[in-house]
Amino acid sequence: MLRRNLDERDAQTKQLQDAVTNVEKHFGELCQIFAAYVRKTARLRDKADLLVNEINLYASTETPNLKQGLKDFADEFAKLQDYRQAEVERLEAKVVEPLKAYGTIVKMKRDDLKATLTARNREAKQLSQLERTRQRNPSDRHVISQAETELQRATIDATRTSRHLEETIDNFEKQKIKDIKNILSEFITIEMLFHGKALEVFTAAYQNIQNIDEDEDLEVFRNSLYLSDYPSRLDIVRANSKSPLQRSLSTKCTSGTGQISTCRTRKDQQVEDEDDEELDVTEDEN
């Protein structure tokens, strides 16, 4: 009867040990994968920061509308990386750390298992010793009674540790289910919050890009091709923009200058004729 009880408790202990090992294995894998997920997200944030910097550098070289649109897009994309940083920090605190804590929890449960196994091994050893004593010295009641007393103590200790282990593992299973539900719920909530904000930011960024006036920027570019002709074109514009009064004064000045020149020519011709007549009179007198 006692041997059967020992076998039943051993089977129970093995089952509890397998439960702890199962949690240790799969929670450990989950912890590593979630930690890698967080690292990848952090690296994505870093690459996005580089993208924001490059877009800003490119924007500074472009035409006005495209420049403003790119800068607005970069601002929105930078805002998204702030949300991504918050996502990384929350995942680390709400998902990775609780899973990592199970390393310590499992170690404590293994210590409880070890104590239970030690007590049961002691009980099994005392039982074997009692059976050998009965076989070798069936008439030695003192030795048999002493062995029975030792077995009884070992059995009490094994029963106590087994009961404690059962309660501990029961609480462990209950806490494990609650924790994995909380961990995955936190993961989903964090991702939903981030992607909700991401949708808002991407919507604004998309609108900023769509608001870029292509025709106006193209006109600016085309005008920039003729910057070398700008002074002559400016002169033409100034000439065409003179008022009628300015044009009349300019014409009169030109006409007056011509009349003065004509008068001066006629006067010079008259002086030359008079000189010629005087020369002829002188020659006649001689």
Side-chain angles (χ1 to χ4, degrees):
M1 183 66 180
L2 185 58
R3 179 67 66 179
R4 185 185 301 173
N5 290 338
L6 281 173
D7 292 341
E8 290 176 356
R9 287 203 295 266
D10 286 343
Q12 184 184 44
T13 302
K14 180 67 167 58
Q15 184 179 357
L16 296 176
Q17 191 173 14
D18 290 343
V20 172
T21 301
N22 188 60
V23 171
E24 181 181 31
K25 175 185 176 182
H26 291 290
F27 273 51
E29 289 293 331
L30 287 172
C31 182
Q32 290 182 10
I33 294 171
F34 272 119
Y37 181 94
V38 173
R39 289 195 298 272
K40 291 284 187 181
T41 304
R43 282 199 289 271
L44 180 60
R45 173 207 59 208
D46 294 339
K47 292 297 183 182
D49 288 339
L50 294 177
L51 181 59
V52 168
N53 292 336
E54 181 56 33
I55 291 175
N56 278 320
L57 287 174
Y58 170 52
S60 64
T61 67
E62 273 297 346
T63 47
N65 274 281
L66 181 56
K67 177 180 181 180
Q68 188 61 47
L70 290 173
K71 284 188 172 295
D72 291 341
F73 173 84
D75 290 342
E76 293 294 337
F77 204 58
K79 186 190 300 181
L80 179 62
Q81 305 324 306
D82 294 336
Y83 293 129
R84 201 184 299 277
Q85 175 62 25
E87 176 196 16
V88 168
E89 293 173 356
R90 289 170 183 165
L91 287 173
E92 186 71 31
K94 301 292 186 179
V95 177
V96 176
E97 287 300 323
L99 287 171
K100 191 184 296 183
Y102 262 79
T104 303
I105 294 173
V106 167
K107 185 177 182 299
M108 293 172 60
K109 302 312 169 187
R110 286 202 175 280
D111 290 340
D112 292 336
L113 279 167
K114 184 177 179 180
T116 301
L117 289 172
T118 300
R120 289 183 180 176
N121 289 336
R122 189 183 303 115
E123 182 186 18
K125 182 179 179 181
Q126 291 298 328
L127 178 60
S128 298
Q129 185 175 350
L130 175 61
E131 290 175 347
R132 284 196 302 270
T133 300
R134 284 174 176 173
Q135 290 175 357
R136 292 175 183 177
N137 303 299
S139 59
D140 192 344
R141 297 301 307 168
H142 177 70
V143 175
I144 293 174
S145 177
Q146 187 176 7
E148 288 175 347
T149 302
E150 292 295 329
L151 175 59
Q152 186 177 9
R153 290 176 181 174
T155 301
I156 292 173
D157 186 47
T159 302
R160 180 182 57 80
T161 56
S162 295
R163 192 169 298 155
H164 173 71
L165 179 63
E166 289 175 11
E167 294 175 357
T168 299
I169 298 302
D170 185 76
N171 292 332
F172 173 73
E173 283 291 310
K174 181 179 179 181
Q175 190 64 41
K176 173 199 73 177
I177 296 171
K178 182 179 179 180
D179 286 344
I180 195 64
K181 285 178 63 178
N182 287 339
I183 289 169
L184 294 180
S185 296
E186 288 288 351
F187 173 74
I188 293 169
T189 301
I190 292 168
E191 290 298 294
M192 287 177 63
L193 285 172
F194 170 75
H195 287 291
K197 290 295 185 181
L199 183 60
E200 294 178 8
V201 172
F202 278 129
T203 300
Y206 179 84
Q207 192 60 50
N208 288 332
I209 294 301
Q210 295 305 309
N211 288 339
I212 295 173
D213 192 329
E214 302 171 30
D215 294 334
E216 185 172 339
D217 273 9
L218 185 59
E219 184 65 25
V220 171
F221 174 75
R222 287 170 177 169
N223 290 337
S224 69
L225 297 177
Y226 301 104
L227 285 177
S228 59
D229 296 336
Y230 182 72
S232 59
R233 289 172 177 267
L234 184 61
D235 291 340
I236 293 172
V237 171
R238 287 175 177 173
N240 291 334
S241 63
K242 285 183 178 180
S243 66
L245 179 60
Q246 289 175 322
R247 291 177 186 174
S248 175
L249 289 174
S250 177
T251 302
K252 288 180 179 180
C253 288
T254 303
S255 175
T257 303
Q259 290 175 359
I260 292 171
S261 299
T262 302
C263 292
R264 287 180 179 176
T265 302
R266 287 177 181 176
K267 185 176 181 179
D268 292 340
Q269 184 66 39
Q270 185 178 359
V271 170
E272 289 177 359
D273 291 343
E274 289 178 355
D275 290 341
D276 289 341
E277 289 178 358
E278 290 179 358
L279 181 60
D280 291 338
V281 171
T282 306
E283 290 177 352
D284 292 338
E285 289 179 354
N286 293 331

